[in-house]
Amino acid sequence: MKKSYLNIFSNIAIVISMALFFFSCTDTYKRVGDEAVKKIYPTGVAQDFVLTSTETDDKEGIDNKEARLQSRVVVVLKSPLCNDFDNLEFPHLTFPKGLVVEFFDEKGEKSTISADYGIIYSKTNLIDLQGNVIIETSDGKRLESPQLYWDRANEWIFTQEKFTFINPEDGTVMDGEGMDFNRDLSFFNAHRTYGLMSIKEE
């Protein structure tokens, strides 16, 4: 009988000791390699960033070669801060403090796009504009949306977000959700429209 009590007490003592041992263990393992969260740093940071894109026009009928080649400004991108992540597998530029893009047509007339945040993906020529995105064309048209994607290669802009489009030429205001259009807003395809919209009849 005494032996069975001793066995019980020793078993209880072992269980309590093991429990205390496991509860006192803490995870002091330092994460390394693939387990650690990798910090991503830009290869370059530019303040008061300005990027100007030009296009060279070949003027026919002029004999002087230097006079024939005339360049004109096509796009000017301005931002308080630009982070260059060219070192990544999918290289891109970010504009965490917003950006303004001015683009000029052949007549030199300016249209602008502004946003609170922007990403330019180098490989795909796609620009992701986020937060208070506003497009104002040279003829007074205005588009507002929380997010837009601009395909630079095809000069095409699209979104699935809500938008407001104001056209002073015909005095219309259109609210909708989802649309795609060309850069100068001469072609506009709205996926869904709603709200009050005035239409000018001929």
Side-chain angles (χ1 to χ4, degrees):
M1 193 75 174
K2 287 182 180 179
K3 284 185 179 179
S4 64
Y5 282 124
L6 285 174
N7 286 341
I8 291 171
F9 283 126
S10 65
N11 288 339
I12 291 172
I14 290 171
V15 169
I16 291 173
S17 299
M18 292 299 289
L20 290 173
F21 173 74
F22 283 115
F23 282 121
S24 66
C25 289
T26 56
D27 183 11
T28 58
Y29 177 70
K30 190 175 181 181
R31 307 289 178 204
V32 294
D34 291 337
E35 296 173 340
V37 177
K38 293 180 180 177
K39 294 182 179 179
I40 301 171
Y41 297 100
T43 55
V45 177
Q47 293 182 337
D48 299 323
F49 179 81
V50 178
L51 175 67
T52 304
S53 296
T54 58
E55 189 177 80
T56 304
D57 293 329
D58 190 1
K59 301 290 184 184
E60 294 181 9
I62 302 176
D63 293 332
N64 187 348
K65 245 185 182 180
E66 291 180 6
R68 267 197 298 150
L69 294 175
Q70 293 182 350
S71 63
R72 66 180 182 89
V73 175
V74 180
V75 177
V76 178
L77 190 153
K78 300 175 184 177
S79 177
L81 182 67
C82 174
N83 295 322
D84 185 355
F85 293 95
D86 196 37
N87 55 332
L88 300 180
E89 188 176 344
F90 202 64
H92 60 277
L93 301 172
T94 63
F95 302 91
K97 294 186 177 180
L99 72 162
V100 175
V101 182
E102 301 172 339
F103 47 92
F104 302 86
D105 61 15
E106 293 178 356
K107 297 176 182 177
E109 294 179 343
K110 181 177 74 172
S111 299
T112 61
I113 300 177
S114 60
D116 294 340
Y117 185 85
I119 307 172
I120 297 178
Y121 297 100
S122 308
K123 282 187 177 178
T124 59
N125 258 339
L126 190 72
I127 300 177
D128 180 4
L129 301 166
Q130 303 172 17
N132 297 314
V133 184
I134 298 171
I135 299 178
E136 294 176 307
T137 63
S138 57
D139 58 359
K141 294 173 187 170
R142 181 181 173 96
L143 180 85
E144 300 172 6
S145 180
Q147 184 175 26
L148 287 175
Y149 294 98
W150 179 13
D151 182 354
R152 290 190 298 171
N154 298 310
E155 294 294 340
W156 201 252
I157 302 169
F158 56 94
T159 186
Q160 295 300 321
E161 300 289 336
K162 293 180 179 178
F163 68 87
T164 299
F165 176 59
I166 302 165
N167 188 353
E169 286 181 358
D170 53 14
T172 60
V173 177
M174 180 193 305
D175 290 320
E177 189 171 341
M179 47 88 186
D180 53 289
F181 54 94
N182 60 356
R183 191 178 70 176
D184 60 0
L185 295 172
S186 59
F187 178 86
F188 190 92
N189 177 29
H191 304 170
R192 180 182 171 201
T193 58
Y194 52 85
L196 182 64
M197 181 171 58
S198 59
I199 299 173
K200 185 177 179 182
E201 294 184 8
E202 293 183 6

